[in-house]
Amino acid sequence: MSELLHANGIVKRFGSFTALKGVTFRLRAGEIHALMGENGAGKSTLIKVLTGVHEADGGTVTVAGRGIRAASPREAEAAGISTVYQEVNLLPNLSVAENILMGRQPMRGPFIRHGEVKRRARAALARLGLEVDVGALLGSFPVAVQQMTAIARALDQEARVLILDEPTSSLDARESEELFAVMRRLRGEGMGIVFVSHFLDQIYAVSDRITVLRDGALVGTWEAAGLPRLELVSHMIGKEVTASSGDGGVVCGGGAEAFRVEGLERRGVVGPLTFSVAAGEATGLAGLLGSGRTETARMLFGIDGATGGRVKAGGEEVALGSPRAAMAAGLAFCSEDRKVEGIIPSLSVRENIVLAMQASRGVLRRVPRAEQEALAAKFIAALNIRTRGPETPIGTLSGGNQQKCLLARWMAMQPRLLILDEPTRGIDVGAKAEIEALCGELRRAGMSILFISAELEEVVRNCSRVVVLRDRRQAAVLDGPAISLRTIMETVAAS
Amino acid sequence: KPSGSSGGGGGGSTGGKLVVGFSQIGADNPWRTAETESVKAEAAKRGIELKFSDAQGQQEAQISAIRSFIAQGVSAIILAPKVETGWDGILKEVKAAKIPVVLVDRGVTVTDPSLFATLIASDFVAEGRMAGEWLVKKSGGKAGIIQLEGTTGAAPANDRKKGFEAAIAGSPDMKVLASQTGDFKRSDGKNVMEALIKAHGAAITAVYAHNDDMAIGAIQALEAAGRQPGKDVTVVSIDGMGFAFEAIKEGKLNCTVECNPLLGPMAFDAVAKALKGEELPKQLVQEDRLFDETNAPAELPNRKY
Amino acid sequence: MKEIRSTLVWPLVALVVLLVFNAVASPGFFHVEWKDGRLFGTVVDIFNQGARVPMLLALGMTLVIATGGVDLSVGSIMAVSGAVAAMQVNAGASMGQAVAAGLGLATLLGLVNGVLIARVGLQPIIATLVMMVAGRGLAMLLTGSQMVPFANRSLTWLANGSVGGLPVPVVLVLLLAGVTGWLLRRTAAGLFIEATGDNEKASRLAGIQTGGVRLAVYGFSGFCAGLSGVLEAANISAADPARIGDTRELDAIFAVVAGGTALTGGRFSLAGSVVGALLLQTLTLTLYNQNVAPAVAPVPKAVVILAVCLLHSPRLRARFGKRTQSVAA
Amino acid sequence: MATGLVLVALFVAAGAGYENFLSARVVLNLFKDRAFLGVVAVGMTFVILSGGIDLSVGAVMAFTTVFLAKVIGGLGWSAPVAMLAAVGIGVGFGLFQGWVIHYFRIPAFLVTLAGMFLARGMAFVVSPRSVEIRSAFYDDLGERGLPLGEGLLLTVGPLIYLVVVAAGMVVAHGTRFGRNVYALGGNEASAALMGLPVGATRVAVYGVCGGCAALGGVISTLALSSGDPTRGTGLELDAIAAAVIGGTVLTGGRGWVFGTFLGVLILGTIKTILDFDGSLDPAWLRIASGGLLLGFILLQKLIARQRVS
Ligand SMILES: Nc1ncnc2c1ncn2[C@@H]1O[C@H](COP(=O)(O)OP(=O)(O)OP(=O)(O)O)[C@@H](O)[C@H]1O
Ligand SMILES: Nc1ncnc2c1ncn2[C@@H]1O[C@H](COP(=O)(O)OP(=O)(O)OP(=O)(O)O)[C@@H](O)[C@H]1O
Ligand SMILES: [Mg+2]
Ligand SMILES: [Mg+2]
């Protein structure tokens, strides 16, 4: 099979830190090639070197036998490489259609054919099974739609190489399947596809070969069919792993009621919802894309105020008019949109972690520096955050590690109810287990968790109660033994 | 209420009252404020309705104000032009609407002298010259001078500099050590003087400021540096504001050349004549007097501004 | 901390270059003598004149810019507070009362800016533009557009006196800068300001009252401008409502940006701004000292600004082999 | 949208309050008097949309006016050649600023602040005082225009203004360059990752703005037949205000050229109202113009909010 892309001995340094240590990577025509590794292993960095975002400090890249020195994404695109980056890198101030066709708009003389732009955008999204108003601003859509838009943009280019950096991190099963179908078809047409994901199932479902990176170095490349899962994970984390049951089974219900949501709604948007959250247990919110899970969380946390209903804690009604009020009532909310609503990019890891705690204490009672450092050190260790140190700007961390810092921010608050919206988005297998374990600990300490995830297995594994949403309304509340993949799917799908 | 024709045109008046538009450059110094007050007071005295516009230093704003005056159908326009050039077009429009224009402060260069009725002017060059001549006489033709210029590019600054430098050109020992802008401000005058004292030290024997405010600032700086303004440093300025007279009385300022801002009465006299259709001389030059310790104390009680 | 220190280097380098130029071009530049119980010399002037306006304004402006805003109204607020203080002493108030009145009103006007921005949701440039125009009007209204001279010794002392040989404004402003800097780091205010400027949405979701933060920084900027206005009036024993502080907002913004605080908000450096202000003042006095004709003075000014810019340029620094880290957006 | 409504409302209100206000002449004057500002503001809109700012426009305009006066009057160039050269210089100056901003990654604020000083200084070097322009071409052009009846004439300046606005709208909305400007202002990093020509767009935007500033200078000389090195002080603030009032967001990426057009008219209307009133002293005049501006923006916000809900 012909080789499409060959990266040889790539070295990339950020200051004194070496993110890639002589990585070699080959992509054939007509294959789906998975790129695996823990958070911070260097996957995104390798991709950014291939597409000219970062200039390599060493090594060469050849595309279809020709040496290229992609100095910019523009040139990489011209060389036939089309990319979906990990952080959705689109333009929220432009329409969905424009985002898909930016730079490649069909023209009539010097003028853009706007109608044609929309038509092509609609077609590109339709290939992924998505139908939205392509004229609306991208920023008005949730992360998942934005991610689909980014994928549609990449698919619309006539490229020989397609690079997808965690494209499925906020898609649910159905969307992911649509994407895989497209990927398989493109593979059939001879395209080479690089695919990054932390979902092992997905990796094995689509990829032909797997390359593993660890700490910026190449571990090896294998045929997917000949690489057992356990061995793959061992390569990733650099340790022998044996099959372990994991203690992630369903935590049984029966805990005392900690919070009670009564008829909470935001008229025209979501609700009404009525359910209770038990102390020391996780309650899941399940539903399809756009079913209103995020909106429920935002309403609870007082970001978009509720128009009706109430929330009671221990029988007393709590005021949830603003994030601050919600925090005072013991709530914490970790947003799914880490780039826009999560990280403060130029502040350090330490500052990002203590931020919420500091905010709740107020301006005058500064968290002492020693305490800040202890806290940062504790979470860096506990969540295994890959950072050069607590003073590194969070913006320079890998996506998964940023997510861990945000989790740390809210765990440090020791809230009574922790709302996690897609907390494991972009997080590697090892870290997922760590986070689940940590949640377990928090629960045992009496904290309640409201858990939102597109990964139903995760919901099933962690939650003792699941509120199922359909069309922005509460469809059912499943309890304890009633929770299973099948029951949730059935409730979601019922009409 | 009676309304003028929307196409403009002269002779418009409201409620029998004469309406006159006054386009002023700005309100950025006491001299100009005094001028504005004088025009306003005179209008009130004569029962004339005054449409006042403050252009905040922009010629374009003056032009648009005049256009508004035309649209409102005023009977006459008093204009204190920011610069000399650029008035041809708008004054033609005014003329087409048959509205007489009285210029105050300074003239304009126009192709057709009939575009304005008359000019009630101060001659900035002459003011500078008077100050220069006085200083030459006072210092015996030998001085190390600091010149504090007005706002860069402003007509009074340009002209007062020109007049002064012409007056001292004949005396080779009259040396301008430094010439820096104090932006017509007291604070900037003081800041600049503070700096220049350090740079030129004892060589400074005279200060020429383009307005009284900067002179006062310079005096403060000189005193702070242990010099004696009015005695070992001769201080000359222009405008003749009340506080300058007081400074002369205290012996700190040596001389100020008056630039009379009280143009209101003359301006409205001219307006009245122009409206009656009388032919006016093209220029009514204000007589600017010079005050020093000999005649200032006597004048002080008469100062209204 | 390390980054902040490294951003401070470049304005300092520019300042040193300018000082070296002066040392060569005008021999008396560094001459400082003891006269009437105070230090006297060009360098003292740089600090004194620099403290009264650019430094003070830059102090407030730094925090405003750190939140991603800008304050165009500082010049007009200077006029208001100067006028109020002058009128108060003329009406028989003590220096303390007069200054308090001036600063109080100035802070209030700053807070009005803050309300328009944080509560009403106007863009900072527009809200403070309105204040710039209306504030000037207010100052002129209070004074009938006239200069307000006064003869209060203690008020005049504020700008012309000296403490231990140093001009009072220098002592006052450095003290204010020091205390502000210390407070910002002792409390969480500095963190909140930087977080608000860097990512307001995320900060709000983390529980920071970003509205309150913005309100406070505009209030503080008003306070600094007020103090500057009082000192300027005290300096010439008169308040100048129509002209004082005119266009000085640009000086302040320049000082802040030259000092390494990005206009887009986020990380800030008070020390950098102070150095930036000194740089600006040194430049001004250099032009006086070299007797550069006022008409062409803008040209060397432009050259120095460009030079400072180039020193800040990551690209150029990379050329010189300095290691830099870039923060992914 | 809201801006337009507010403008109409203001006009009607003022018409009720002041006689002769609601007339074709007043409307025409609005265009005549603001033509130069309007053109400059269109250029500024592009810069702001790209996430930048240009403080040099007023100084560039001033330089253009004295340059024209000098080369036409002093050196005897033919007026059209001189105008082309002037606009060329403006574009070149803008391109240079854009290049410095982009290549050296220096904040636009600082670069264009330096540009402002530079252009202003050069204007004073060309001529320290205002100069007349005597030229048959200017006299001729002054008489020409689009007759609107009633003896009203839409002169060349306002015509250029309208053409520039129309062209600006088409470019911003309908061309790749225009869309790239929005992309750049929306998120530079994303625009770069999308493979858009970030550098070329940024440099070009400042070129456009410099060209508009120079064109504003040309219009200004057409209206005044003179050059003046002090002209256009504070113009940058007016231009920025016009854009922002018109709905352009200062952080870039959102806004529209037509909004700026309305913003310019709003600023003009406020000024006209104050001129028609004519009874305010300078202090109240400033308070009133600040107050009117604020009232305007608040009203606009209110209407915009009502429409959303
Ligand atoms: N711009 C940057 N500046 C400094 N360090 C960086 C920068 N970008 C990435 N790094 C560092 O390089 C390392 C590799 O990051 P990269 O984003 O490639 O990881 P990844 O494998 O994609 O991880 P994830 O699965 O979390 O997305 C990380 O330690 C990160 O902190
Ligand atoms: N498939 C879709 N098509 C169109 N609009 C969608 C779609 N999905 C979500 N939206 C938009 O998203 C908003 C509600 O989504 P919300 O974030 O509440 O859902 P969610 O259940 O949290 O989904 P997820 O987090 O998986 O994106 C609505 O404004 C809706 O317009
Ligand atoms: Mg990654
Ligand atoms: Mg969601």
Side-chain angles (χ1 to χ4, degrees):
Chain A
M1 238 186 269
S2 69
E3 196 170 75
L4 266 184
L5 183 105
H6 181 183
N8 195 13
I10 302 292
V11 175
K12 174 68 204 169
R13 288 185 210 96
F14 293 109
S16 56
F17 172 79
T18 308
L20 293 176
K21 305 165 183 161
V23 172
T24 295
F25 176 78
R26 296 159 191 270
L27 178 71
R28 297 180 192 143
E31 75 162 342
I32 296 176
H33 193 140
L35 194 54
M36 298 288 293
E38 289 182 285
N39 292 134
K43 304 179 294 293
S44 301
T45 306
L46 176 60
I47 287 169
K48 286 186 178 167
V49 168
L50 295 179
T51 61
V53 177
H54 292 320
E55 200 179 341
D57 296 306
T60 54
V61 180
T62 45
V63 175
R66 265 194 312 136
I68 62 159
R69 241 188 107 73
S72 72
R74 199 171 161 67
E75 283 159 44
E77 225 180 86
I81 303 176
S82 159
T83 318
V84 175
Y85 294 95
Q86 180 175 10
E87 302 299 341
V88 179
N89 274 294
L90 295 175
L91 299 159
N93 60 319
L94 297 184
S95 72
V96 172
E98 287 198 279
N99 268 290
I100 293 174
L101 287 156
M102 203 66 202
R104 285 177 279 112
Q105 299 99 330
M107 307 290 282
R108 183 180 292 119
F111 302 114
I112 295 171
R113 297 168 62 193
H114 285 290
E116 183 66 10
V117 168
K118 282 194 182 163
R119 199 191 56 73
R120 259 177 67 182
R122 244 178 258 125
L125 284 172
R127 285 167 81 183
L128 293 165
L130 186 68
E131 216 178 290
V132 293
D133 173 12
V134 294
L137 292 190
L138 181 78
S140 63
F141 291 101
V143 184
V145 175
Q146 299 192 13
Q147 196 153 34
M148 303 281 267
T149 306
I151 297 169
R153 173 179 171 80
L155 294 181
D156 185 74
Q157 291 167 46
E158 275 160 31
R160 283 176 292 178
V161 177
L162 176 64
I163 301 178
L164 302 167
D165 192 353
E166 300 196 29
T168 55
S169 60
S170 50
L171 302 188
D172 63 19
R174 193 176 57 87
E175 271 95 19
S176 300
E177 266 317 315
E178 303 261 8
L179 174 63
F180 296 155
V182 175
M183 283 165 67
R184 289 191 191 100
R185 200 175 63 238
L186 292 173
R187 169 176 61 187
E189 290 164 9
M191 189 188 264
I193 299 175
V194 181
F195 177 53
V196 180
S197 171
H198 290 294
F199 299 107
L200 294 186
D201 290 343
Q202 297 185 347
I203 296 291
Y204 281 101
V206 290
S207 40
D208 304 303
R209 292 198 300 161
I210 299 174
T211 289
V212 176
L213 298 183
R214 190 170 65 231
D215 283 337
L218 176 72
V219 179
T221 302
W222 294 270
E223 293 292 329
L227 185 68
R229 285 187 184 216
L230 278 181
E231 207 180 314
L232 171 59
V233 175
S234 304
H235 288 313
M236 282 166 60
I237 61 179
K239 279 194 300 233
E240 276 301 314
V241 188
T242 45
S244 80
S245 58
D247 63 337
V250 178
V251 184
C252 272
E257 179 184 286
F259 283 89
R260 180 155 187 81
V261 176
E262 287 177 359
L264 199 65
E265 68 170 334
R266 183 171 163 78
R267 209 156 298 124
V269 179
V270 70
L273 298 151
T274 301
F275 58 89
S276 67
V277 180
E281 290 183 15
T283 302
L285 275 184
L288 293 175
L289 181 67
S291 58
R293 294 163 299 177
T294 296
E295 316 239 320
T296 303
R298 293 175 65 88
M299 181 170 68
L300 267 172
F301 198 60
I303 303 166
D304 305 319
T307 54
R310 57 188 157 269
V311 177
K312 286 182 178 166
E316 294 212 15
E317 185 167 345
V318 289
L320 301 175
S322 69
R324 275 185 71 76
M327 281 167 69
L331 271 67
F333 168 62
C334 190
S335 165
E336 66 176 341
D337 192 347
R338 74 167 158 254
K339 195 171 163 192
V340 175
E341 299 187 336
I343 61 167
I344 317 279
S346 62
L347 295 195
S348 68
V349 168
R350 166 181 58 84
E351 286 166 313
N352 269 283
I353 290 178
V354 299
L355 198 63
M357 178 191 257
Q358 180 65 69
S360 69
R361 285 201 195 171
V363 194
L364 297 181
R365 290 180 48 225
R366 194 178 82 121
V367 180
R369 181 68 184 236
E371 192 183 335
Q372 295 189 19
E373 276 164 10
L375 209 64
K378 175 182 147 198
F379 281 106
I380 289 173
L383 297 175
N384 192 18
I385 297 173
R386 292 279 166 89
T387 167
R388 258 157 288 158
E391 299 308 318
T392 309
I394 197 173
T396 66
L397 261 54
S398 82
N401 284 304
Q402 293 179 1
Q403 182 69 23
K404 291 185 197 171
C405 292
L406 296 181
L407 283 172
R409 175 190 292 173
W410 294 109
M411 288 179 174
M413 292 286 294
Q414 303 196 304
R416 286 193 288 163
L417 175 62
L418 177 59
I419 306 170
L420 298 174
D421 193 359
E422 309 283 1
T424 54
R425 179 175 165 225
I427 279 190
D428 65 41
V429 241
K432 249 181 221 172
E434 284 157 22
I435 287 171
E436 282 183 27
L438 225 101
C439 286
E441 259 174 59
L442 295 174
R443 282 201 312 264
R444 276 187 286 284
M447 186 192 292
S448 312
I449 293 175
L450 190 64
F451 193 87
I452 304 173
S453 173
E455 249 189 300
L456 285 184
E457 291 88 347
E458 230 172 41
V459 176
V460 172
R461 226 175 17 247
N462 288 292
C463 301
S464 60
R465 172 172 296 151
V466 175
V467 180
V468 182
L469 299 181
R470 192 171 59 224
D471 294 337
R472 310 166 163 274
R473 243 173 262 128
Q474 184 170 331
V477 178
L478 307 174
D479 260 317
I483 301 173
S484 72
L485 268 185
R486 212 172 57 92
T487 48
I488 296 178
M489 292 298 265
E490 277 171 7
T491 325
V492 163
S495 53
Chain B
K1 57 189 175 181
S3 74
S5 69
S6 66
S13 57
T14 315
K17 240 182 171 184
L18 205 59
V19 183
V20 173
F22 174 34
S23 168
Q24 175 62 291
I25 303 170
D28 56 355
N29 65 60
W31 187 90
R32 208 154 276 296
T33 305
E35 182 183 58
T36 303
E37 287 307 317
S38 156
V39 171
K40 284 194 159 178
E42 189 65 21
K45 204 169 101 191
R46 299 187 185 207
I48 292 173
E49 184 182 338
L50 189 72
K51 293 278 179 192
F52 172 73
S53 165
D54 169 1
Q56 307 193 17
Q58 294 182 338
Q59 185 180 13
E60 295 89 348
Q62 288 198 293
I63 289 178
S64 76
I66 295 173
R67 289 220 168 94
S68 295
F69 292 154
I70 302 176
Q72 289 176 80
V74 298
S75 311
I77 291 174
I78 301 174
L79 166 65
K82 178 177 181 255
V83 291
E84 288 94 342
T85 61
W87 299 100
D88 254 320
I90 183 68
L91 290 185
K92 276 182 193 149
E93 285 180 39
V94 180
K95 190 180 175 192
K98 300 191 182 63
I99 301 173
V101 175
V102 172
L103 300 175
V104 293
D105 281 15
R106 79 195 63 160
V108 297
T109 47
V110 283
T111 41
D112 174 5
S114 75
L115 288 179
F116 61 93
T118 186
L119 159 67
I120 300 162
S122 301
D123 186 340
F124 301 134
V125 180
E127 289 163 5
R129 197 180 325 111
M130 281 167 84
E133 282 163 358
W134 185 91
L135 186 61
V136 171
K137 210 160 71 206
K138 169 86 176 176
S139 62
K142 184 166 165 21
I145 306 164
I146 299 292
Q147 178 170 222
L148 296 176
E149 302 178 17
T151 305
T152 309
N158 287 338
D159 289 351
R160 287 171 185 173
K161 181 176 168 141
K162 192 163 133 195
F164 180 82
E165 287 175 355
I168 63 167
S171 322
D173 286 334
M174 301 284 289
K175 286 211 178 65
V176 177
L177 301 173
S179 184
Q180 287 293 322
T181 177
D183 208 17
F184 283 135
K185 289 179 197 158
R186 197 176 287 194
S187 59
D188 286 29
K190 185 172 179 185
N191 285 351
V192 172
M193 200 61 210
E194 249 169 30
L196 294 179
I197 288 171
K198 270 111 204 171
H200 299 283
I204 302 171
T205 62
V207 173
Y208 165 52
H210 286 184
N211 77 349
D212 290 338
D213 263 320
M214 291 190 293
I216 299 292
I219 288 170
Q220 292 178 347
L222 286 166
E223 283 179 330
R227 307 288 299 265
Q228 287 180 304
K231 314 238 157 31
D232 61 358
V233 180
T234 311
V235 185
V236 190
S237 72
I238 296 179
D239 266 3
M241 306 294 294
F243 58 82
F245 281 82
E246 273 164 32
I248 292 178
K249 204 170 126 198
E250 290 166 20
K252 293 176 178 171
L253 181 67
N254 297 82
C255 142
T256 181
V257 179
E258 178 186 49
C259 177
N260 191 350
L262 304 184
L263 303 173
M266 277 176 89
F268 280 102
D269 282 346
V271 165
K273 284 188 188 148
L275 284 176
K276 275 190 223 131
E278 283 179 35
E279 197 61 31
L280 284 156
K282 273 292 130 179
Q283 188 162 354
L284 302 164
V285 178
Q286 287 243 88
E287 189 203 345
D288 289 333
R289 289 179 293 167
L290 184 146
F291 295 95
D292 55 16
E293 73 261 14
T294 58
N295 56 353
E299 174 70 10
L300 182 55
N302 305 332
R303 284 284 115 173
K304 294 201 205 74
Y305 52 94
Chain C
M1 261 345 226
K2 218 192 300 165
E3 288 161 72
I4 298 271
R5 226 172 288 142
S6 73
T7 60
L8 191 54
V9 168
W10 299 106
L12 270 176
V13 166
L15 184 59
V16 168
V17 169
L18 202 56
L19 289 175
V20 168
F21 166 81
N22 272 301
V24 175
S26 48
F29 197 84
F30 288 100
H31 180 78
V32 174
E33 59 185 310
W34 188 264
K35 211 167 177 176
D36 307 332
R38 57 170 11 192
L39 290 169
F40 183 88
T42 303
V43 180
V44 183
D45 285 348
I46 291 176
F47 271 92
N48 191 15
Q49 297 184 9
R52 277 201 315 264
V53 187
M55 266 191 223
L56 259 181
L57 297 187
L59 224 49
M61 192 72 82
T62 305
L63 302 190
V64 167
I65 289 181
T67 63
V70 73
D71 186 353
L72 299 182
S73 69
V74 285
S76 297
I77 293 184
M78 279 174 71
V80 174
S81 78
V84 169
M87 290 166 70
Q88 286 288 315
V89 289
N90 283 347
S94 74
M95 182 266 262
Q97 290 167 323
V99 172
L103 294 186
L105 188 53
T107 310
L108 191 71
L109 293 181
L111 288 173
V112 171
N113 280 333
V115 168
L116 289 178
I117 292 159
R119 299 272 181 270
V120 183
L122 299 189
Q123 293 193 51
I125 202 164
I126 283 295
T128 57
L129 182 69
V130 166
M131 183 58 78
M132 168 176 148
V133 177
R136 182 67 64 185
L138 179 62
M140 290 163 69
L141 186 70
L142 290 172
T143 57
S145 304
Q146 299 291 341
M147 293 273 276
V148 187
F150 55 84
N152 183 304
R153 280 285 184 76
S154 14
L155 188 52
T156 314
W157 175 84
L158 265 191
N160 293 296
S162 60
V163 176
L166 289 176
V168 179
V170 177
V171 176
L172 217 56
V173 172
L174 288 182
L175 212 64
L176 179 66
V179 169
T180 308
W182 183 76
L183 276 178
L184 287 175
R185 298 298 165 197
R186 272 311 299 162
T187 67
L191 177 66
F192 287 1
I193 289 170
E194 289 179 342
T196 304
D198 204 16
N199 186 346
E200 166 157 29
K201 208 164 174 183
S203 302
R204 208 172 45 239
L205 292 194
I208 296 175
Q209 285 168 310
T210 54
V213 169
R214 289 166 150 229
L215 198 65
V217 295
Y218 286 95
F220 180 69
S221 179
F223 173 86
C224 289
L227 185 55
S228 175
V230 169
L231 291 181
E232 276 289 271
N235 182 42
I236 55 170
S237 305
D240 182 351
R243 291 172 295 176
I244 206 162
D246 191 24
T247 69
R248 296 311 283 270
E249 66 279 354
L250 284 184
D251 291 356
I253 299 173
F254 169 75
V256 172
V257 180
T261 301
L263 268 174
T264 42
R267 290 276 192 219
F268 66 87
S269 162
L270 280 183
S273 300
V274 168
V275 174
L278 282 178
L279 176 68
L280 188 74
Q281 196 61 41
T282 308
L283 176 61
T284 309
L285 290 199
T286 304
L287 294 178
Y288 292 160
N289 261 349
Q290 300 301 317
N291 198 26
V292 179
V296 297
V299 178
K301 221 168 168 174
V303 171
V304 171
I305 293 179
L306 266 181
V308 176
C309 293
L310 291 178
L311 282 176
H312 268 296
S313 160
R315 191 117 183 195
L316 218 63
R317 265 189 267 168
R319 275 279 152 79
F320 289 129
K322 282 271 165 196
R323 269 183 272 129
T324 50
Q325 23 170 269
S326 60
V327 178
Chain D
M1 253 307 109
T3 319
L5 282 178
V6 173
L7 181 61
V8 171
L10 188 83
F11 228 86
V12 172
Y18 304 104
E19 65 181 285
N20 295 347
F21 193 96
L22 269 180
S23 66
R25 177 186 280 271
V26 171
V27 177
L28 184 68
N29 286 350
L30 225 45
F31 285 89
K32 270 193 190 168
D33 296 335
R34 309 284 141 180
F36 74 99
L37 171 63
V39 170
V40 173
V42 169
M44 185 69 83
T45 307
F46 276 92
V47 169
I48 296 180
L49 281 174
S50 81
I53 197 150
D54 188 349
L55 299 180
S56 71
V57 288
V60 169
M61 179 183 123
F63 173 82
T64 307
T65 65
V66 284
F67 170 82
L68 286 174
K70 208 69 183 182
V71 298
I72 295 173
L75 306 178
W77 291 21
S78 96
V81 173
M83 288 176 182
L84 276 181
V87 174
I89 292 174
V91 171
F93 188 77
L95 290 175
F96 175 70
Q97 294 191 118
W99 175 75
V100 173
I101 291 168
H102 185 77
Y103 186 81
F104 294 106
R105 321 250 136 152
I106 307 175
F109 187 94
L110 284 186
V111 174
T112 59
L113 182 68
M116 166 174 127
F117 285 127
L118 203 65
R120 188 66 73 185
M122 294 314 293
F124 276 114
V125 170
V126 171
S127 165
R129 51 177 62 223
S130 75
V131 232
E132 247 183 305
I133 303 177
R134 292 232 183 282
S135 135
F137 183 78
Y138 269 81
D139 295 341
D140 186 43
L141 223 53
E143 319 273 286
R144 276 171 203 279
L146 208 64
L148 299 175
E150 279 193 61
L152 298 177
L153 187 72
L154 192 62
T155 45
V156 178
L159 271 177
I160 297 180
Y161 169 35
L162 292 177
V163 169
V164 168
V165 169
M169 284 163 64
V170 170
V171 169
H173 185 68
T175 67
R176 277 196 189 167
F177 168 71
R179 302 322 291 168
N180 289 347
V181 170
Y182 278 85
L184 182 57
N187 186 336
E188 178 177 357
S190 294
L193 289 181
M194 288 168 93
L196 302 177
V198 167
T201 305
R202 167 157 309 138
V203 175
V205 153
Y206 288 91
V208 167
C209 189
C212 283
L215 193 57
V218 170
I219 293 175
S220 166
T221 60
L222 281 175
L224 278 72
S225 294
S226 78
D228 177 3
T230 67
R231 201 172 290 163
T233 37
L235 180 66
E236 58 281 350
L237 278 185
D238 283 345
I240 295 170
V244 174
I245 292 169
T248 299
V249 178
L250 210 60
T251 43
R254 279 184 290 147
W256 34 316
V257 173
F258 188 70
T260 302
F261 172 74
L262 294 178
V264 170
L265 291 185
I266 285 177
L267 285 180
T269 308
I270 290 179
K271 196 89 191 76
T272 309
I273 291 175
L274 294 174
D275 280 340
F276 262 77
D277 184 86
S279 66
L280 298 171
D281 69 15
W284 277 113
L285 202 72
R286 281 165 177 75
I287 295 176
S289 54
L292 276 174
L293 186 55
L294 181 63
F296 232 124
I297 295 166
L298 291 182
L299 199 62
Q300 190 181 331
K301 267 194 112 59
L302 213 70
I303 294 178
R305 192 170 303 167
Q306 219 115 56
R307 305 206 135 203
V308 168
S309 60

